[in-house]
């Protein structure tokens, strides 16, 4: 598996972002991946939209983990977004989303994809992790927290 510090880079942590809806959120992630990693905008956007049409990627408690396999990728990409204001999202508990961790994996990375997804969900289910995440105000601190948490063990 890949190294945690490679996958959770501070430049892929976006704090206090303003979007109005899920479409704008996915466009933001796709644009970020394009600008910083060179993956074409449409590849990422289409993959996230297709996956979300299957079922919501929200896990509750204000958290969503949009994830998709993108055939054109050469490695895993993770982007964390903390929204300035919550947005509507189809959630199991009815709580709007504020914390988003987008996970994009190459099409053949099925086992890695599932392992990372599982560890992300476990991290977000821990109140201590969520509290510490809320307290992080710097990109580097958010990236370090993810690398030290459950997600770090998967990477």
């Amino acid at each position: 598996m890949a190294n945690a510090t490679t996958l959770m880079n501070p430049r892929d942590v976006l704090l206090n972002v303003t979007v109005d809806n899920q479409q704008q959120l996915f466009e933001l992630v796709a644009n970020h991946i394009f600008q910083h990693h060179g993956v074409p905008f449409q590849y990422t956007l289409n993959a996230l939209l297709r996956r979300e049409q299957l079922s919501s990627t929200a896990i509750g408690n204000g958290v969503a983990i949009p994830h998709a396999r993108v055939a054109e990728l050469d490695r895993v990409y993770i982007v964390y977004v903390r929204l300035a204001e919550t947005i509507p999202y189809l959630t199991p508990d009815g709580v709007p989303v504020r914390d988003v961790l987008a996970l994009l994996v190459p099409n053949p990375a099925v086992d890695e994809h599932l392992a990372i997804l599982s560890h992300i969900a476990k991290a977000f289910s821990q109140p201590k992790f969520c509290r510490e995440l809320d307290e992080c105000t710097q990109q580097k601190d958010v990236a370090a927290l993810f690398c030290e948490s459950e997600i770090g063990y998967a990477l």
Side-chain angles (χ1 to χ4, degrees):
M1 286 207 178
N3 179 309
T5 55
T6 302
L7 294 181
M8 184 50 101
N9 189 305
R11 76 174 172 199
D12 294 327
V13 173
L14 310 176
L15 301 175
N16 300 316
V17 172
T18 300
V19 296
D20 293 328
N21 54 48
Q22 200 175 53
Q23 176 76 28
Q24 288 180 5
L25 172 66
F26 291 170
E27 289 172 0
L28 173 90
V29 170
N31 189 54
H32 177 84
I33 292 290
F34 172 67
Q35 293 293 322
H36 294 278
H37 302 288
V39 177
F41 174 87
Q42 213 58 49
Y43 290 177
T44 301
L45 181 61
N46 289 345
L48 290 171
L49 290 171
R50 274 194 314 269
R51 170 57 189 87
E52 201 66 31
Q53 286 175 345
L54 296 174
S55 66
S56 177
T57 55
I59 62 172
N61 249 4
V63 177
I65 310 172
H67 55 281
R69 285 178 262 174
V70 181
E72 295 81 7
L73 295 184
D74 59 349
R75 69 175 191 88
V76 174
Y77 293 95
I78 296 175
V79 177
Y80 170 75
V81 181
R82 178 184 298 149
L83 300 172
E85 300 288 330
T86 60
I87 60 169
Y89 214 105
L90 183 57
T91 62
D93 58 3
V95 175
V97 166
R98 178 176 169 247
D99 292 295
V100 178
L101 194 124
L103 171 64
L104 301 163
V105 298
N107 211 10
V110 176
D111 290 340
E112 186 175 19
H113 178 187
L114 296 176
I116 294 170
L117 198 54
S118 170
H119 282 77
I120 292 168
K122 285 179 188 173
F124 276 111
S125 72
Q126 299 170 3
K128 181 179 185 263
F129 172 82
C130 293
R131 219 175 19 260
E132 291 174 354
L133 182 61
D134 280 344
E135 293 169 2
C136 290
T137 58
Q138 301 294 314
Q139 293 170 297
K140 65 180 178 52
D141 297 333
V142 171
L145 179 63
F146 274 105
C147 291
E148 294 165 4
S149 72
E150 288 284 340
I151 188 176
Y153 300 119
L155 306 177

